[in-house]
């Protein structure tokens, strides 16, 4: 039975769907970790709204922690994909070995750093005296499970890049289903509240981590986790290549922090916590869109990197076109849903009319330019898979910088709610610039690869 996709020979359209669909589902389900937590927390009797605001403050820190898994996992998996395309299995094995060591090191370091500094970080990131206790409880428990979160996120890339998308999806599904079942048990049955949501999440991540380790230590995959062959230069290359997607996720955390801080400042004591609660709902909705988008562009990077390594440049171009078509189809669908049905999503979080009305408005504003954003995602991730890290990083930083500037400057001239318009403005401008640059450089870059002698 054929268990792995042949990235060098199978139909491009077939490959894109075989890798993208499971990755989309995995990313969509993965985001349920935080969304399900927030849904249950928002309905805790008496304290739901404040508890939701407190967990919303934790969101950027949780994203920042998991982004280190992407730093190592995506950077390492792209290199593994290229080496597999070159049929250099020994080098691919070394890259996975060094990646595993990096994940272990980051897990230990981040656990210590965040446990020591979390109180200061939470206040800095927008917690108020009223919401701090909820944020502190959730963050303390979540940070203690950092090892499981990083391993589950990072190792899954190495499952997908070897042509096992359904095993990669299973890694995420195991954790998400566990979380769905455990959340109500710990929050309501055992009356643990916010602490219960955090405990359920950590246990779920442990389950995902266990499956990923079992799969990559097994004999089913061509490149398995081994020990030894450690090389500082190899680790440096892994981190350099993963830097662009890492900064995309890490700066997402910074954007959330800036947004929460601005809303707290300009909303004042009367509206600050309400605005942060609504922003948390809006950002949760956006994750339902951007996470599957990451699944499409990130999940299919293995096709691009493998064929780039094999010098099959026409297949690289065909893959980029097919990935973009799939991305556009998804974003058009979600744009329509965002116009006509956001109230159903908002109702899962809160029954307060004021919160519902503002959250629906915020969703419609945030999603104004998600269709052009397709070009940004596909082209930046495509350039990363082609080892154009500096170009991809520059385009990513450009978009984030425009978002931060808009979030800070717009409320200065208008009101606190004007900060929500920073998202669509950054999306359309960055999409246009990324498309122009990609079109200008792609042919020359691929021609250079065709002429390269592989050692």
């Amino acid at each position: 039975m054929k268990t792995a996709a042949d990235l060098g020979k199978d139909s491009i359209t077939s490959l894109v769907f075989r890798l993208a669909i499971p990755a989309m589902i995995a990313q969509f389900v993965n985001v349920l970790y935080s969304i399900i937590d927030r849904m249950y927390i928002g309905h805790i009797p008496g304290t739901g709204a404040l508890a939701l605001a407190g967990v919303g403050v934790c969101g950027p820190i949780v994203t920042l922690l998991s982004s280190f898994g992407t730093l190592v996992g995506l950077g390492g998996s792209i290199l593994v994909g290229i080496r597999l395309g070159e049929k250099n299995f020994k080098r691919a094995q070394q890259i996975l070995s060094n990646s595993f060591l990096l994940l272990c090191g980051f897990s230990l370091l981040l656990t210590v750093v965040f446990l020591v500094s979390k109180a200061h970080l939470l206040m800095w990131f927008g917690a108020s005296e009223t919401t701090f206790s909820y944020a502190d409880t959730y963050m303390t428990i979540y940070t203690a499970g950092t090892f499981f979160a990083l391993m589950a996120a990072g190792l899954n890339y190495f499952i997908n890049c070897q042509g096992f998308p359904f095993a990669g999806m299973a890694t995420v599904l195991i954790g998400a289903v566990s979380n769905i079942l455990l959340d109500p048990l710990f929050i309501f049955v055992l009356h643990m509240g916010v602490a219960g949501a955090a405990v359920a999440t950590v246990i779920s991540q442990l389950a995902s981590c266990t499956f990923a380790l079992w799969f990559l230590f097994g004999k089913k995959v061509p490149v398995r986790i081994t020990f030894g062959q450690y090389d500082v230069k190899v680790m440096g290359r892994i981190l350099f290549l993963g830097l662009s997607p890492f900064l995309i996720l890490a700066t997402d955390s910074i954007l959330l922090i800036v947004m929460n801080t601005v809303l707290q400042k300009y909303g004042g004591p009367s509206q600050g916590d309400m605005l942060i609660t609504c922003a948390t709902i809006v950002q949760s909705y956006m994750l339902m869109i951007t996470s599957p988008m990451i699944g499409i562009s990130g999940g299919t990077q293995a096709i691009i990197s493998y064929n780039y390594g094999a010098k099959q440049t026409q297949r690289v171009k065909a893959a980029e076109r097919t990935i973009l078509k799939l991305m556009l189809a998804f974003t058009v669908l979600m744009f329509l849903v965002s116009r006509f049905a956001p109230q159903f999503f908002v109702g899962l979080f809160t029954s307060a009319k004021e919160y519902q009305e503002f959250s629906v408005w915020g969703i419609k504003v945030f999603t104004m330019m998600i269709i052009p954003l397709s070009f940004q995602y596909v082209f930046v991730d495509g350039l990363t898979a082609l080892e154009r890290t500096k170009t991809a990083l520059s385009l990513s930083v450009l978009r984030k910088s425009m978002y931060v500037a808009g979030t800070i400057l717009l409320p200065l001239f208008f009101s606190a709610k004007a900060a929500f318009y920073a998202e669509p403005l950054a999306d359309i401008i960055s999409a246009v610039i990324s498309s122009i640059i990609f079109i200008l450089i792609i042919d020359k870059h691929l021609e250079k690869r065709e002429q390269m002698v592989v050692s």
Side-chain angles (χ1 to χ4, degrees), residues 26-107:
Q27 288 290 341
F28 177 79
V29 171
N30 191 38
V31 79
L32 291 179
Y33 276 124
S34 59
I35 290 179
I36 290 173
D37 281 348
R38 293 171 184 180
M39 285 168 53
Y40 283 122
I41 289 169
H43 287 90
I44 295 175
T47 61
L50 290 176
L52 183 58
V55 174
V57 172
C58 297
I61 305 176
V62 170
T63 303
L64 181 59
L65 284 170
S66 63
S67 65
F68 281 90
T70 300
L71 170 65
V72 178
L74 192 51
S77 65
I78 288 173
L79 289 174
V80 168
I82 293 173
R83 298 299 169 255
L84 289 176
E86 298 170 352
K87 307 301 181 183
N88 191 340
F89 292 95
K90 183 178 180 180
R91 287 282 289 170
Q93 197 84 54
Q94 182 187 23
I95 291 165
L96 179 52
S97 173
N98 281 267
S99 298
F100 184 68
L101 181 62
L102 282 171
L103 286 171
C104 291
F106 276 124
S107 298

Side-chain angles (χ1 to χ4, degrees), residues 365-426:
V365 171
F366 256 57
T367 57
M368 287 172 63
M369 293 297 166
I370 59 170
I371 298 175
L373 189 60
S374 297
F375 294 88
Q376 170 80 6
Y377 271 66
V378 172
F379 292 154
V380 169
D381 281 353
L383 289 169
T384 303
L386 296 171
E387 295 190 292
R388 287 294 299 243
T389 308
K390 291 182 180 179
T391 307
L393 178 59
S394 299
L395 294 173
S396 299
V397 170
L398 174 66
R399 176 171 174 260
K400 303 302 182 180
S401 299
M402 288 188 292
Y403 186 105
V404 170
T407 302
I408 295 173
L409 294 176
L410 288 174
L412 284 175
F413 298 98
F414 302 101
S415 62
K417 66 186 293 186
F420 285 77
Y421 285 99
E423 173 80 24
L425 286 173

Side-chain angles (χ1 to χ4, degrees), residues 214 240 265 380 426:
W214 169 79
F240 179 73
K265 177 180 179 181
V380 169

Side-chain angles (χ1 to χ4, degrees), residues 155-169:
L155 293 179
N156 209 33
Y157 286 102
F158 295 98
I159 297 174
N160 288 321
C161 79
Q162 297 185 64
F164 295 93
F166 288 99
M169 182 176 67

